[in-house]
Amino acid sequence: MSLLKKSASSIDVDNLVTSNDMGGRQSSGIQLKIILFFAFSWASFQIWIASPFPYMMDSDLFRWNSNQARSIHLAFAIFLVFLSFPFNSKSPLKKVPLIDWLLAITASLSALYYLIEYDNIATRVGAPIVQDIVIACIGIPLLFEAARRSLGITLPLIAAVFLAYNFFGNYMPEMIAHKGFGLQEVVNHQWITTEGVFGIALGVSTDFVFLFVLFGSLLDKAGAGNYFIKLAFSCLGHFRGGPAKAAVVASGLTGLISGSSIANVVTTGTFTIPMMKKVGFSSEKAGAVEVAASVNGQIMPPVMGAAAFLMVEYVGISYLDVIKHAFLPALISYIGLVYIVHLEALKANMQGLPRTVREGSPLTQITGFLFGFLILCFISAAVYYGLGWIKQILGDHSIYAITTLVILAFIGLLYSGCKLPKLSDDIDQDLGTLPPPGEIFRSGIYYLLPVVVLVWCLMIERLSPGLSAFWAAVLTMFIIVTKPILETLFRDDTSLPIFTGLQNLIDGMVSGARNMASISIATATAGVIVGVVSQTSVGAVLADVVEVLSFGNITLMLLLVAVLCMILGMGLPTTANYIVVSSLMANVIVEVGASNGLVVPLIAVHLFVFYFGLMADVTPPVGLASFAAAAVSGGKPIQTGVIAFKYALRTAVLPFLFIFNPDLLLINVTFLQGVFIFVIATLAMLIFTAATQGYFFDRCKLWERALLLLIAFSIFRPDFWVNQMVEPHRYMALSEYLEEDAQISIGTPLRIHVEEDNYSGGKDASIHMLIAREKGLAKDIIEGSGLNLYQSDTVIEVDSVDIGSDAYEAGFEAFQVLTGIDVANKQPSSVFVYLPCMALITLIALIQVRRKKLTP
């Protein structure tokens, strides 16, 4: 246990977290009280606008629409950043200098200008006055300075370059040139409308992200973070390399509610990294495991580092669809990381932590588990149908009955937990002597109630993400305040502090708001880049550049986009990272892919760029998460990053796979198909992991690694080999196809070939995909998608496209000519690929097992 104590004492983790998320300044006295007051006020404001209460009032005094709320949101964020983050390392840390007070007030007033002049701005859209221009010329540079202080130079520098491109496009090389825009046009687009700074990104931060970050902060203050870590260690700590496996699970659970991979590394790594070193991991490998697990937390629903809510707006699908599509790849990636840890433990012959003695035979434990599972199923069914009956009987008044039931459930679960020993939150506790998992699970099961409420509101009640997070946060607040009082009563221990709940609530709200300040600044600054993309043709230009460099090769194009995403994501927090890479690179895949025969769902494209943007947190030399892990582990940062990148290869391969095989995203698949896809994809991931780690049942020879990689590829993409035998599609003229009156099933993709005139007088060919929303004739489905067609004897031309329709989202435009359609061919079953793969896996396993037995 000395190792853990040494690590904990040698690193001031609180300062590390604070300097990363809340700024390095440590004010005191009246200045600190002002900062805390505004942070608490900001959290209160966000809770108020997310609640249903403003709509119950007759007055509009405390009611703001989404655009107005963005202005207040940014004003709070920029005010806190200037007070919390010093100008540079030489600036005073114990007090806020006068210049920072002036900058904070000026910047927040500039942000509030959009609110103050909201009605007047609406009457002069596109024609800003001198006052508008002056405020924007003050606000944008101050926003960039706030971003530099809180996020580093990378994001504001990129935004400044794009802004310069906006002004001086007419001086650029011919390939990327545009007409250029004047100050009045840029100001109007970036600061006065909702196309730039106050655009979708800041709107998502205001409406959704803040509530989820606050929910995570409150849940952590309630003690859920410590509970997740202890539960993970108790379940997995005794296995080979157990602390590392527990670190993966704990980071995954923490990542569910976290918006920052770096914060995840620092907070969970404080517990997990020393314990990994204790069982034999080197400092660099322990840090790398924590980095890989924490970055993976950003791809795990429901929060995904706030990117999930942005995808809703950018992709145009529901939040539940985003969660459904993102879940399977994230889960498979985590399973792969656990297997990496297992292989590392096997290679080094590591042992786990001392196993807690459990009463009862294995059969008794299995029976107890199954009995508990059946009880859980019964309770779930009772809750589902019981609440349905309550809503039918009580109608609008059912909210009071449901609230009472939830509170009673919390009290009952807390009472049950208080019958067990109190779970210590001491960082120096020997995690190898934890109680059995069942005991830990029961001692803090009430922590899962807010998560259950969140999921219930999202999945069953189909409430908005913001309102769902509001109800979950309200329940968490109630738990924080009442838990100390109820514990004192149930444990009959007067020594317990009973009045700490209110202070913990205030701390949680303040912490959540201060954590959000840099995220909000990131979304506002990234909004400048989005504004430039929407005002200029830079997106199409990037597509042309990538197509030229890739020579039209799909795989090379995806590799180029992946590298560009990693470069663009360097030094950026998760939210800004996704905004930048999706704004610049998603359209590249769509356009270049369509012109070369690759048509994939838009959600697959956005997840692709999101995954590779996050890889920048791992990849040296700028991998910030790797530097944070090295600070905790005492290892070398670059070496930690290199090992973490090697571990992250399993995550890097997934985006390529779901681009070519969207079934991994559970798109248009049944439940049984989804289960089969999960099993097959998990098997392929484990084989790929074994190949990259060079260890299966024994150390792999070179030919075994190559064969394992081939097997993994074949299982992931059986269609590649099937397509070599029979082409997946055959081309048919659209007019001929429509004459056949073909019946189309629901969910069938229609790959339609399109031609349109280009600027050089030639023709550009591309493919656009429509998904059949209902069963019917092909002609009816095509026209029902929003395409209004003009058909002559030889030509089918798009006359117009309904705004917001499926055809509009698929990229169809007026005056395009629909030339043909890809008709699916009947292909052999994928079983003909899986069977040889299984035989080869068995053969390699037998060879390695035999070799291991013969090795002395």
Side-chain angles (χ1 to χ4, degrees):
M1 199 56 233
S2 60
L3 181 62
L4 180 59
K5 291 182 179 179
K6 180 180 179 182
S7 177
S9 62
S10 61
I11 298 171
D12 189 345
V13 178
D14 288 337
N15 286 342
L16 193 55
V17 176
T18 301
S19 62
N20 177 68
D21 287 335
M22 303 182 187
R25 187 169 281 151
Q26 301 172 352
S27 305
S28 58
I30 186 64
Q31 292 186 340
L32 177 61
K33 291 180 181 178
I34 292 174
I35 293 173
L36 298 182
F37 171 78
F38 276 97
F40 183 83
S41 300
W42 187 17
S44 302
F45 164 76
Q46 294 288 162
I47 292 172
W48 172 258
I49 63 172
S51 73
F53 304 132
Y55 305 99
M56 299 177 182
M57 302 175 62
D58 295 330
S59 172
D60 292 337
L61 182 61
F62 296 104
R63 188 187 303 165
W64 300 274
N65 63 37
S66 178
N67 291 343
Q68 293 170 318
R70 296 176 194 183
S71 178
I72 302 173
H73 180 87
L74 180 58
F76 272 117
I78 205 166
F79 184 81
L80 289 175
V81 163
F82 274 111
L83 297 186
S84 301
F85 291 84
F87 177 75
N88 56 29
S89 58
K90 297 180 180 179
S91 299
L93 298 179
K94 298 298 183 182
K95 66 175 183 178
V96 182
L98 178 60
I99 183 64
D100 282 354
W101 281 105
L102 295 176
L103 290 175
I105 294 170
T106 305
S108 60
L109 289 176
S110 298
L112 284 173
Y113 179 77
Y114 187 82
L115 172 70
I116 297 168
E117 287 289 302
Y118 186 76
D119 293 332
N120 295 328
I121 287 174
T123 63
R124 56 174 186 264
V125 174
I129 60 177
V130 174
Q131 178 178 290
D132 297 339
I133 296 173
V134 170
I135 294 297
C137 289
I138 295 172
I140 292 178
L142 288 178
L143 174 64
F144 285 2
E145 169 59 14
R148 184 197 66 80
R149 293 188 182 202
S150 58
L151 306 167
I153 191 60
T154 307
L155 181 60
L157 183 61
I158 294 174
V161 169
F162 271 82
L163 204 56
Y165 174 74
N166 217 7
F167 283 111
F168 306 112
N170 52 327
Y171 297 106
M172 297 293 169
E174 183 177 354
M175 177 174 277
I176 62 172
H178 64 87
K179 71 182 183 99
F181 294 92
L183 180 62
Q184 194 175 37
E185 294 170 297
V186 173
V187 163
N188 179 72
H189 197 77
Q190 293 287 359
W191 198 263
I192 305 303
T193 69
T194 55
E195 295 293 329
V197 172
F198 297 98
I200 290 175
L202 187 63
V204 169
S205 176
T206 305
D207 297 337
F208 305 135
V209 179
F210 192 104
L211 263 295
F212 276 84
V213 171
L214 180 63
F215 171 60
S217 176
L218 291 171
L219 206 54
D220 185 59
K221 284 294 179 184
N226 176 60
Y227 171 69
F228 289 151
I229 292 172
K230 300 293 175 64
L231 182 61
F233 268 92
S234 180
C235 291
L236 300 172
H238 60 279
F239 291 109
R240 284 183 178 270
K245 294 173 182 175
V248 173
V249 175
S251 294
L253 293 171
T254 306
L256 293 175
I257 55 175
S258 171
S260 167
S261 56
I262 299 170
N264 201 345
V265 165
V266 174
T267 51
T268 61
T270 305
F271 289 93
T272 59
I273 289 175
M275 295 303 293
M276 283 188 266
K277 293 169 68 175
K278 183 177 181 180
V279 295
F281 281 86
S282 67
S283 297
E284 288 75 19
K285 284 189 176 181
V289 169
E290 182 59 44
V291 169
S294 297
V295 172
N296 254 71
Q298 302 301 285
I299 66 174
M300 177 62 75
V303 178
M304 297 168 62
F309 313 109
L310 290 161
M311 286 181 189
V312 171
E313 301 294 333
Y314 290 167
V315 181
I317 61 177
S318 71
Y319 175 74
L320 289 181
D321 283 337
V322 171
I323 299 306
K324 181 183 76 173
H325 298 323
F327 176 72
L328 190 57
L331 179 60
I332 292 171
S333 184
Y334 262 114
I335 292 172
L337 183 56
V338 172
Y339 190 53
I340 286 175
V341 169
H342 180 69
L343 294 178
E344 290 282 11
L346 285 176
K347 286 189 283 187
N349 195 28
M350 296 180 191
Q351 303 302 315
L353 297 173
R355 183 165 187 164
T356 305
V357 178
R358 294 173 183 154
E359 297 180 359
S361 65
L363 180 61
T364 304
Q365 295 175 20
I366 294 173
T367 304
F369 173 80
L370 292 176
F371 182 70
F373 178 75
L374 290 175
I375 290 178
L376 181 62
C377 292
F378 175 77
I379 293 174
S380 300
V383 170
Y384 180 79
Y385 291 106
L387 291 183
W389 294 332
I390 289 174
K391 287 189 287 186
Q392 286 181 357
I393 296 172
L394 298 181
D396 294 339
H397 300 288
S398 59
I399 182 66
Y400 304 110
I402 293 172
T403 300
T404 302
L405 288 175
V406 171
I407 293 174
L408 290 176
F410 161 64
I411 295 174
L413 292 173
L414 179 60
Y415 177 79
S416 175
C418 288
K419 296 300 181 183
L420 300 168
K422 185 177 175 61
L423 193 63
S424 171
D425 57 359
D426 184 5
I427 190 176
D428 292 334
Q429 180 187 6
D430 187 350
L431 300 179
T433 61
L434 288 173
E439 187 174 315
I440 292 183
F441 178 72
R442 294 194 304 272
S443 70
I445 190 174
Y446 52 87
Y447 288 125
L448 300 179
L449 266 181
V451 180
V452 170
V453 168
L454 175 65
V455 174
W456 181 275
C457 291
L458 286 170
M459 305 289 289
I460 308 299
E461 300 296 334
R462 298 299 179 102
L463 301 180
S464 70
L467 189 56
S468 301
F470 165 76
W471 289 118
V474 167
L475 175 58
T476 310
M477 292 177 187
F478 178 81
I479 291 174
I480 291 174
V481 172
T482 59
K483 177 189 165 187
I485 300 173
L486 293 174
E487 272 195 321
T488 300
L489 178 64
F490 294 153
R491 293 185 184 277
D492 194 22
D493 185 355
T494 56
S495 65
L496 293 174
I498 63 173
F499 297 111
T500 58
L502 189 59
Q503 184 60 50
N504 286 338
L505 174 61
I506 295 173
D507 290 345
M509 292 183 68
V510 168
S511 177
R514 298 186 71 181
N515 285 337
M516 261 304 297
S518 57
I519 298 176
S520 301
I521 294 298
T523 58
T525 309
V528 173
I529 300 171
V530 176
V532 173
V533 172
S534 66
Q535 195 172 20
T536 67
S537 57
V538 66
V541 167
L542 282 172
D544 292 339
V545 171
V546 170
E547 185 167 24
V548 169
L549 293 176
S550 64
F551 306 104
N553 182 281
I554 295 296
T555 304
L556 184 56
M557 179 268 290
L558 291 174
L559 285 171
L560 283 171
V561 171
V563 172
L564 288 171
C565 287
M566 285 192 283
I567 294 172
L568 290 169
M570 286 182 177
L572 300 184
T574 303
T575 313
N577 190 324
Y578 170 67
I579 296 169
V580 172
V581 297
S582 63
S583 300
L584 297 177
M585 304 312 302
N587 192 55
V588 173
I589 298 178
V590 172
E591 291 195 9
V592 178
S595 63
N596 290 277
L598 176 68
V599 183
V600 294
L602 193 55
I603 182 63
V605 173
H606 278 257
L607 285 173
F608 182 94
V609 298
F610 177 53
Y611 271 49
F612 279 105
L614 283 177
M615 288 292 288
D617 276 351
V618 178
T619 311
V622 190
L624 298 182
S626 300
F627 279 88
V632 178
S633 70
K636 298 176 181 177
I638 298 298
Q639 191 174 344
T640 299
V642 170
I643 297 173
F645 179 77
K646 181 182 176 183
Y647 291 164
L649 284 176
R650 82 209 182 283
T651 304
V653 76
L654 282 171
F656 287 96
L657 296 170
F658 57 62
I659 283 288
F660 291 108
N661 184 13
D663 286 350
L664 281 173
L665 302 181
L666 303 180
I667 297 176
N668 299 319
V669 298
T670 64
F671 175 77
L672 290 179
Q673 288 174 329
V675 172
F676 179 76
I677 290 167
F678 169 70
V679 172
I680 289 296
T682 301
L683 176 63
M685 175 57 71
L686 297 180
I687 296 168
F688 175 81
T689 300
T692 55
Q693 293 300 305
Y695 198 100
F696 193 27
F697 287 88
D698 192 18
R699 293 188 183 275
C700 295
K701 297 183 182 299
L702 188 60
W703 69 269
E704 290 173 334
R705 297 181 72 169
L707 191 54
L708 286 173
L709 285 174
L710 180 62
I711 293 170
F713 171 78
S714 300
I715 296 177
F716 266 128
R717 282 207 60 200
D719 59 299
F720 176 82
W721 301 111
V722 172
N723 292 346
Q724 306 306 310
M725 294 183 276
V726 178
E727 286 288 334
H729 304 99
R730 70 181 189 276
Y731 176 84
M732 181 182 289
L734 186 60
S735 56
E736 179 184 345
Y737 180 75
L738 295 179
E739 288 176 0
E740 292 185 353
D741 290 335
Q743 284 284 338
I744 305 298
S745 302
I746 296 175
T748 301
L750 301 178
R751 294 164 50 92
I752 300 174
H753 290 251
V754 174
E755 275 189 358
E756 57 187 324
D757 297 329
N758 58 29
Y759 295 110
S760 60
K763 298 284 187 181
D764 284 336
S766 60
I767 300 175
H768 300 304
M769 184 166 64
L770 292 174
I771 303 296
R773 299 295 184 186
E774 56 185 18
K775 182 179 180 180
L777 295 176
K779 183 176 181 180
D780 295 337
I781 289 173
I782 291 173
E783 292 181 347
S785 68
L787 282 175
N788 301 305
L789 304 177
Y790 169 77
Q791 186 170 359
S792 65
D793 293 338
T794 58
V795 174
I796 300 177
E797 185 176 328
V798 179
D799 186 47
S800 63
V801 184
D802 295 340
I803 301 297
S805 64
D806 289 347
Y808 179 84
E809 297 295 337
F812 288 93
E813 297 176 357
F815 309 118
Q816 290 176 333
V817 176
L818 309 184
T819 57
I821 189 169
D822 287 333
V823 181
N825 286 326
K826 185 174 180 58
Q827 292 184 299
S829 171
S830 297
V831 172
F832 291 105
V833 178
Y834 293 141
L835 288 178
C837 289
M838 298 304 171
L840 288 173
I841 294 170
T842 305
L843 179 62
I844 294 174
L846 291 174
I847 291 172
Q848 291 200 357
V849 169
R850 183 172 180 274
R851 185 169 67 228
K852 191 171 184 178
K853 286 181 179 179
L854 295 176
T855 303

